[in-house]
Amino acid sequence: MAAPLKRVLMCSAGTAMRGADPARWHYGPQFDPARAAAQHARLSALVEAAGARIDWLDGADGLADSVFTHDPSLMTDRGAVILSMGKALRGPEPGLHEAHYRDLGIPVLGRIAAPGQVEGGDCVWLDPSTLAVGRGVRTNGAGIGQLAAILEPLGVTVHGFDLPLWHGADACLHLMSVISPLADDLALVHAPLLPAPFWQMLRARGMVLVEGDPDEFAASNGLSLNVLATAPRAAIAVAGFPRTKAAMERAGCSVATFEADALCIACEGGPTCLTRPILRQ
Ligand SMILES: NC(=O)NCCC[C@H](N)C(=O)O
């Protein structure tokens, strides 16, 4: 869903990533905490310029991946679900999200518990009552079952789809790595890695699928495709991928970009991963 983004949870890269050891966090050689912080500040300025209010997550010092606020919780119309991370180093993050939602007065509908694992990057809302969830190295069947048990009483149908291994168990491939919704009827996709039944479901729903450039996808470790919709057909993307940007523009989108080699390309997460939408309307 890509309704106008009104409120979003983010986490300061300057604090969370300060002193992070790239080998420990599986970050690439371009990782540079000072440049990552500056690039994150530019992203947050674009998010605010698009009309969204940012809530800042506290308590993330030393938890470098907590900048990727998309993953430890999921938001619904009725409140939040606290998720359970597939990457062990990220284990403390769902607790930070829960504390934040308590402070904001946002209801917590439930929690995913071990052995269940679900990361927010594997969850894609197709409409308010339909959630697609990728089953892969970060999200497992037990987690999807728990999520369905929490959401189905609220009228939400949860569909699980198997993801490929792609670059291996230590790398990050989420369902949102291969699709970015741009509007209710439009999405940017990397079709070769989309689960075939998910592709069929999108087509059956009448979604127009814009193909990102495959060479840019490969060169960016998938980050050319990780695009945040701030409103229908308005998006924020990582700079440096002109063919993918042009494909979105041909589909009627306006696209703002920011440099993100030290933050996104190095650390396997793009603008959608760096934002947890709290309110779209
Ligand atoms: N939703 C996302 O795709 N999040 C990216 C998370 C990147 C982070 N370095 C991780 O491995 O979990």
Side-chain angles (χ1 to χ4, degrees):
M1 290 185 295
L5 187 62
K6 297 294 185 193
R7 191 169 179 187
V8 65
L9 180 63
M10 295 182 72
C11 172
S12 161
T15 305
M17 293 183 141
R18 187 171 42 211
D21 173 4
R24 179 164 187 254
W25 289 94
H26 199 262
Y27 295 166
Q30 312 99 310
F31 176 63
D32 172 334
R35 291 184 61 240
Q39 293 175 350
H40 192 270
R42 176 73 187 130
L43 170 64
S44 62
L46 288 176
V47 167
E48 285 178 326
R53 173 175 143 201
I54 299 174
D55 288 307
W56 291 100
L57 186 73
D58 289 329
D61 307 34
L63 293 172
D65 271 347
S66 58
V67 297
F68 298 108
T69 51
H70 200 84
D71 297 323
S73 62
L74 180 71
M75 194 56 67
T76 76
D77 292 345
R78 311 270 195 91
V81 180
I82 305 302
L83 303 178
S84 172
M85 310 306 284
K87 180 174 177 175
L89 276 173
R90 303 193 65 180
E93 295 179 36
L96 299 182
H97 281 227
E98 180 159 8
H100 190 80
Y101 294 140
R102 277 223 185 85
D103 289 349
L104 292 180
I106 292 174
V108 168
L109 302 175
R111 295 164 197 81
I112 306 301
Q117 295 173 346
V118 178
E119 294 195 359
D122 279 320
C123 301
V124 182
W125 288 103
L126 298 181
D127 64 47
S129 60
T130 311
L131 183 71
V133 185
R135 187 187 301 105
V137 294
R138 299 297 185 93
T139 292
N140 62 18
I144 295 173
Q146 291 178 31
L147 189 58
I150 294 167
L151 295 180
E152 284 181 357
L154 307 178
V156 174
T157 304
V158 174
H159 300 268
F161 296 100
D162 289 335
L163 286 167
L165 186 58
W166 202 41
H167 286 162
D170 292 334
C172 183
L173 182 80
H174 285 127
L175 187 57
M176 288 281 280
S177 306
V178 291
I179 178 168
S180 288
L182 295 170
D184 286 349
D185 59 351
L186 184 72
L188 178 68
V189 298
H190 181 66
L193 290 179
L194 272 181
F198 183 47
W199 179 87
Q200 289 168 325
M201 175 187 261
L202 296 170
R203 294 298 302 267
R205 294 171 69 91
M207 295 272 296
V208 175
L209 303 180
V210 177
E211 296 272 349
D213 182 84
D215 295 334
E216 291 182 347
F217 185 88
S220 67
N221 207 14
L223 275 307
S224 59
L225 206 94
N226 196 289
V227 167
L228 174 67
T230 52
R233 291 178 168 74
I236 300 174
V238 172
F241 306 106
R243 293 194 291 273
T244 301
K245 181 170 181 272
M248 289 187 275
E249 289 168 341
R250 279 195 299 276
C253 300
S254 61
V255 184
T257 61
F258 70 112
E259 298 292 335
D261 57 330
L263 174 66
C264 297
I265 311 289
C267 306
E268 303 183 287
T272 61
C273 316
L274 290 160
T275 47
R276 162 43 62 204
I278 292 178
L279 180 63
R280 285 186 182 272
Q281 67 180 17

